[in-house]
Amino acid sequence: MKPITLKTVLLLTTAHFSLAQPTLKPEEYRPRYHFTPPKNWINDPNGTIYFNGEYHLFYQHNPFGNEWGHMSWGHATSKDLLRWQHLPLAIPEFTSADGKSQTAIFSGSTVIDKTNQSGLCPAGTKDCMVAIYTGNVTAGDKQTAQYQNLAYSADKGRTWTQYAKNPVLDLGTKEFRDPNVFWYAPGKKWLMAVIKPTDHQAVFYESQNLKDWKLLSLFGPMGDTTRVWECPALFAVPVEGSSAKKWVLTVSSGHRQKNYLAMQYFVGDFDGKTFTAQKQDEVLYVDEGKDFYAGIPFNDRPANQVKPIMIGWLNDWEYANKIPTMPFKGAMSVPRELSLRNTPQGYRLVQTPVSLQAIRRKVTTMTNVSVSKATPVSYAGESYELEADITLGSAQKVGIRLLKSGAEESVLTYDIPTQTLAFDRTHSGNVSFSDRFSSIESVKVAPQNGYLRLHLLVDKSIVEIFANGGQQVMTDLVFPTKHDGKIELFSEGGATVFSALTVWEVK
């Protein structure tokens, strides 16, 4: 959760409405199968949890406008992580009893206290839902404190009560936020990972009752420290092809090489007190695109769900207030299942989107298509899923032009000699709202047995790219001004065979 002063919000709002607002078309960029609020601003996912057949998504939300401000928790639920029911505002910002300060509800998590051991919910409550969040306190336009608060619900998150003795964890600082809490079964205790942003440290605490917290250890600085750290998550992840699990710590921060915000991760071991990262020779990033941030896994999950499931915010703070969408601003990724792959370079995170089978229909299938020039796919649309297996031959480059309308296009290119996958949105449509938006992002992707496998989720203004089974991922926003939605295959320097390509339209 990135704090912004009230003065900054007002300046951004004024600039946005004076420059961009007249050109916006309502719902033009509303994705079909990525979560968005009915209206107004959202950012970080919060309090993600599975409970009694429902996935809960809480999220940073401004109930009063389409810019950052008045941070509160919005709320939605889903049975399948694809179709969401919007619920009333869950936890609103509030004013102090003396009226002199305002507490915004910054990022945090939720847990289920199954026996109401904390005593927070009324006597007789079997399952008490508890939110642990950062209270960001301001007086006028001056930020004065950040500390960790509790709120609780006895009705599955529909209504909430603030804990009367908040805060439960206060270091007396203005930079201490984003608690991620989970039940650690081996130690029969609650564990919290929380961030000291400017110190580039994750701090770990334990508790028996969610109200009293004891310091365990600190992690960091390590890895990428080019920006402040935010939104930690610590969780166990299965290793592909074995029964083993390793612990993963994710932190939202910056991207050292590309100079924008990103998420990094560390793989290691956790003994109930200390997280020890394994040696890594490079900084590991969750997503190599510009628009995936603050991702966190769902607490708890169905008994048959082995892999953790993460959902992230699709936007970038460098232009978040300026993106040309209305009446909403901000979206969430399609939830991703996580595993680890043991590679010669060490453990690497693998991400695959949850299955869209329930909401899609197959419209185009192509096999063994030799491509030596621009070759159209017999499908046009702006919300679809695409899978392609590409046999890499003697060509120099191969790729797919997405959301193509004349010269307007978003281009995914694989440079075969350098094994580089790049996404070019410089001609994708509206790129003028920010000088930081137009970009070409790239990542190294080694072929697998002479193949490149691509899995694309395209949804109006969102492109999620999963390469080689999700070992490399890029996510970027695009804002086409034309809407032909054509798809075109191409190859340069020789022919390339698309051995299989399937497009599913998403309902």
Side-chain angles (χ1 to χ4, degrees), residues 68 77 89 111-112 118 137 163-164 178 232 266 274 305 310 315 338 352 367 413 421 428 476 481 496-497:
W68 188 96
T77 59
L89 190 69
V111 299
I112 303 299
S118 63
V137 184
Y163 177 46
D178 308 338
F266 306 91
T274 303
Q305 177 64 44
M310 173 184 285
N315 211 335
L338 307 180
T352 55
T367 56
T413 302
L421 184 68
S428 59
D476 285 283
T481 62
T496 305
V497 175

Side-chain angles (χ1 to χ4, degrees), residues 33 61 103 143 225 235 252-253 276 286 356 366 376 431 440:
Y33 59 94
H61 182 49
T103 299
Q143 182 200 13
T225 59
F235 50 99
S252 291
S253 54
T276 304
V286 174
L356 303 183
M366 302 169 64
V431 299
I440 303 174

Side-chain angles (χ1 to χ4, degrees), residues 358-433:
I359 60 171
R360 72 185 188 189
R361 66 183 185 92
K362 188 184 297 184
V363 292
T364 299
T365 300
M366 302 169 64
T367 56
N368 296 321
V369 177
S370 180
V371 175
S372 57
K373 60 182 180 179
T375 303
V377 174
S378 59
Y379 171 81
E382 295 183 290
S383 293
Y384 56 87
E385 179 179 14
L386 185 153
E387 290 187 352
D389 284 354
I390 305 169
T391 304
L392 303 175
S394 59
Q396 295 296 300
K397 294 182 179 181
V398 61
I400 308 175
R401 297 184 177 101
L402 307 168
L403 299 170
K404 183 172 177 59
S405 300
E408 193 171 282
E409 58 190 15
S410 299
V411 186
L412 184 62
T413 302
Y414 186 66
D415 186 286
I416 296 172
T418 64
Q419 299 182 354
T420 301
L421 184 68
F423 184 70
D424 182 348
R425 65 179 181 187
T426 57
H427 301 287
S428 59
N430 185 353
V431 299
S432 63
F433 56 87

Side-chain angles (χ1 to χ4, degrees), residues 202-360:
V203 192
F204 302 105
Y205 293 87
E206 67 177 6
S207 176
Q208 295 295 325
N209 60 9
L210 296 169
K211 296 179 288 190
D212 303 299
W213 293 91
K214 175 185 174 183
L215 176 65
L216 292 175
S217 62
L218 293 87
F219 174 84
M222 187 175 176
D224 195 325
T225 59
T226 56
R227 307 284 183 100
V228 299
W229 282 16
E230 300 184 299
C231 303
L234 178 68
F235 50 99
V237 181
V239 177
E240 291 181 344
S242 76
S243 59
K245 291 185 178 181
K246 303 294 289 185
W247 285 84
V248 171
L249 174 67
T250 59
V251 176
S252 291
S253 54
H255 197 299
R256 182 177 293 167
Q257 289 79 27
K258 300 179 181 179
N259 191 29
Y260 58 72
L261 297 176
M263 286 183 65
Q264 64 177 316
Y265 69 95
F266 306 91
V267 181
D269 299 297
F270 183 68
D271 62 4
K273 180 179 179 180
T274 303
F275 174 75
T276 304
Q278 296 185 346
K279 185 180 182 297
Q280 55 188 57
D281 297 326
E282 59 181 318
V283 179
L284 303 178
Y285 297 101
V286 174
D287 192 300
E288 293 284 350
K290 289 192 76 171
D291 295 308
F292 186 91
Y293 194 74
I296 57 171
F298 282 81
N299 264 342
D300 305 333
R301 51 184 180 263
N304 62 352
Q305 177 64 44
V306 176
K307 298 178 182 179
I309 299 173
M310 173 184 285
I311 191 169
W313 175 48
L314 304 188
N315 211 335
D316 191 299
W317 280 114
E318 296 188 338
Y319 42 73
N321 276 288
K322 300 178 182 179
I323 62 171
T325 63
M326 65 174 296
F328 70 98
K329 191 170 270 101
M332 298 298 176
S333 69
V334 167
R336 302 171 179 182
E337 296 184 344
L338 307 180
S339 60
L340 287 168
R341 185 171 295 164
N342 195 358
T343 75
Q345 295 75 38
Y347 291 103
R348 294 295 183 266
L349 194 65
V350 174
Q351 306 167 73
T352 55
V354 298
S355 174
L356 303 183
Q357 185 173 355
I359 60 171
R360 72 185 188 189

Side-chain angles (χ1 to χ4, degrees), residues 30-34 334 353 356 379-387 400-404 410 412 423 455-466 474-478 480 485-487 503-507:
R30 171 88 70 182
R32 187 179 290 182
Y33 59 94
H34 288 75
V334 167
L356 303 183
Y379 171 81
E382 295 183 290
S383 293
Y384 56 87
E385 179 179 14
L386 185 153
E387 290 187 352
I400 308 175
R401 297 184 177 101
L402 307 168
L403 299 170
K404 183 172 177 59
S410 299
L412 184 62
F423 184 70
H455 187 179
L456 312 181
L457 304 182
V458 179
D459 196 7
K460 292 289 188 71
S461 54
I462 296 168
V463 180
E464 294 189 76
I465 302 161
F466 301 84
M474 290 194 291
T475 302
D476 285 283
L477 301 179
V478 292
K486 295 179 180 179
I487 305 171
V503 180
W504 293 268
E505 184 176 32
V506 180
K507 301 174 186 175

Side-chain angles (χ1 to χ4, degrees), residues 48-51 55 110-112 114 183 297-302:
T48 51
I49 194 167
Y50 177 81
F51 176 59
Y55 293 93
T110 62
V111 299
I112 303 299
K114 294 182 179 180
W183 178 252
F298 282 81
N299 264 342
D300 305 333
R301 51 184 180 263

